[in-house]
Amino acid sequence: MTDQAGEAMTPLVKNAASRPPAASLRRRVRPQSRWWTVWLFLLPALLLFLYFKFIPMFAGIQMSFQKVRPFLGNEWVGWSNYAAVLNDSRFHDAIVHTLILGFGQSIGAVIGGLVLALLLEGASKTLWFVRTAAFLPVVTATAVIGEVWRIIYFPAPNGFLNSAIGSLGLDPVRWLEDPAVALYSVMAVGIWQGAPYNMVIFLAGLAGVDRSLYEASAIDGAKLRHRLWYVTLPALRPAMTIVLVLAAVRSLRVFTDVWVLTGGGPAGATDVWMTRIYSLGFERNQMGIASAASILLLIASIALTALALLITRKRAEK
Amino acid sequence: MSIAKASSRPRPKRPQVNSSSFDTALGWQPGRTATTLLRAAVCAIILFVFAGPILTIIAGAFDLNPDPTRLTLIPRNPSLENFAVATQRGIWGFFWNSLLIAGFGLLLQIIVAVTAGYALARRKFRGQAIVLGIFLATMMLPEEVVAVPLAVVLGDLPLVGISLRGTIFAVILPVAASAFSILVMAAFMRDIPDEIVEAATIDGASEMRILIEIILPMCKPALGVVAIFGFIGIWDQYLLPIIAANRTSDYMITVALASLRADVQVGTGVLLAGAFLALIPSLIVYLLLQNSLVRGITSGAIKG
């Protein structure tokens, strides 16, 4: 993402080599237009961002210091909303759940994606078909996925998944109703949906691995596991870093999956940071406290993103 | 690149030592019965795990009265009854809301991405770095983080003082500007050679005409990426349609599914019929624009 943004590489520099020298000395011909037309082009984007990103952000900062009362006017309460969030044991639980869910989903989806990519690597038409089908969870709306998994997780002993594990001789599980299991059931759906996405990234990485390295390692007598460990994995490492960091940032604000699957229940066992914000802000109308929690979430995701940029920058310098 | 290709001398022949076993990391070999069988089994399991749940939606939607405890991949009592009940529950209204929002939202998002991307990529102006910084910053402001105050802003837009709540604009406008789409367009337009634009300028074409008639047709791959990510992103909206709605009839189909589920009078089949309708458009877009999708995912991830 960063190099898309950088402006250092103008087309002029890029094409300099392929162009005859006379052309680069010639004054560049640009379409005739006034200086302000560029701002006309930028106006829609800037206006939309102002109204639906930046004004809400500033309103959120303001509301986080207020007791929000419709029709009565807001009352300034200082840091007490933040204190309320930080002292709320349900928010403490929500942090823990968010971290467990985010960590488990990210790692699981990366490993799952890697395994899928290794298994489905190849040029044949059948493999292409399987890859296409395996990707379906990614393009399906999260709400739809949530509904179908609720049915798969049907808690009765003859439920879909329960009868499947029953045929292996295992006891039925109340997947989404048991507080000890529910968070992991949600995590499994997240991995199921995230793995095919990562598969595509890893497949692209695998396509770039130098085949002669495989051949050379085979001549040196390397076994398959050596080959994977010393040739394939190092080649995939850059892709892996990005995938992990992006997943970590995304997992902080997970909402729809959890909300559709469990609504934060049972007894708050799957409550994450965003579902907590949602219940506080929109169901109990505690907009001030919900805003404070949102700002804390914003700070956390900015910190993580900054960390991510730092890591990728370091990699680029190497 | 082009220089290397141009001098395509006949390569020195290398001895072929069963090189096909080095085509993939795991060393799969075509035509060997043992591995082919293993591979077929692997593919079957993967298909069952990842496509199976999606197929159960389709099977259940067309099944007269699917048992929520026994999902199948083939409807036992094929019928359209579920869709008839879902129609009574107003599913088409929600579907229409979703189509309208996704259609206009995507159109607007493409227009915004093309104009802003063009300005960033093809023009030099004062404050370019600041504008770019603003666009990048919005990526750190996901809709979840601003959802609470956005609900207030949608009810009373500052300066203009109108309320968008309950209109489709309350969903369309917030999704219309996407920093990802803008950056994809800008990155692509930056690579269009200057000579082409210069030639058109000398011929007396205006800037708007150059953008529409010369640059846009060359940006088709980027437009594909923007279209598929835009559509799937908008169709996947859940939080925004809830906070933007006045009544439940304003919901998008994704949100309406939950109320369909909560309705004790309808069975699993009707819920799956709704899920099926919510599934079809993104499926069509995916199958039409698959290649763009892969390009978008990999360009975002591998480059960094």
Side-chain angles (χ1 to χ4, degrees), chain B residues 121-141:
Chain B
R122 309 296 308 183
R123 293 279 298 263
K124 275 205 163 74
F125 58 94
R126 240 177 229 224
Q128 198 153 13
I130 297 171
V131 170
L132 192 68
I134 290 173
F135 289 168
L136 285 173
T138 59
M139 288 186 144
M140 296 191 198
L141 277 177

Side-chain angles (χ1 to χ4, degrees), chain A residues 18-150:
Chain A
S18 57
R19 200 186 297 175
S24 57
L25 293 176
R26 194 184 63 202
R27 244 192 76 196
R28 310 241 322 271
V29 186
R30 288 196 163 274
Q32 286 294 307
S33 50
R34 303 193 182 278
W35 66 269
W36 47 261
T37 52
V38 73
W39 293 102
L40 220 56
F41 279 121
L42 289 169
L43 191 68
L46 290 175
L47 215 56
L48 288 168
F49 281 141
L50 177 71
Y51 264 92
F52 302 108
K53 294 278 186 192
F54 293 109
I55 288 178
M57 187 189 71
F58 287 114
I61 295 174
Q62 197 182 16
M63 279 162 63
S64 73
F65 293 105
Q66 290 173 334
K67 189 179 171 71
V68 180
R69 298 177 304 180
F71 311 115
L72 290 170
N74 297 345
E75 186 190 340
W76 192 266
V77 292
W79 293 97
S80 79
N81 286 333
Y82 288 91
V85 172
L86 295 174
N87 290 326
D88 181 1
S89 68
R90 293 196 61 176
F91 263 111
H92 297 168
D93 292 346
I95 293 182
V96 176
H97 297 151
T98 310
L99 292 179
I100 294 176
L101 192 64
F103 190 76
Q105 270 183 5
S106 309
I107 302 285
V110 165
I111 294 174
L114 184 60
V115 170
L116 277 180
L118 287 173
L119 290 176
L120 293 180
E121 190 191 4
S124 84
K125 268 262 188 270
T126 325
L127 289 172
W128 174 86
F129 173 77
V130 178
R131 285 199 294 261
T132 305
F135 199 77
L136 287 177
V138 181
V139 293
T140 309
T142 312
V144 177
I145 282 171
E147 297 300 342
V148 72
W149 273 93
R150 282 181 69 97

Side-chain angles (χ1 to χ4, degrees), chain B residues 102-133:
Chain B
F104 282 111
L106 183 59
L107 185 69
L108 213 55
Q109 194 184 97
I110 289 175
I111 293 173
V112 169
V114 166
T115 51
Y118 174 82
L120 274 183
R122 309 296 308 183
R123 293 279 298 263
K124 275 205 163 74
F125 58 94
R126 240 177 229 224
Q128 198 153 13
I130 297 171
V131 170
L132 192 68

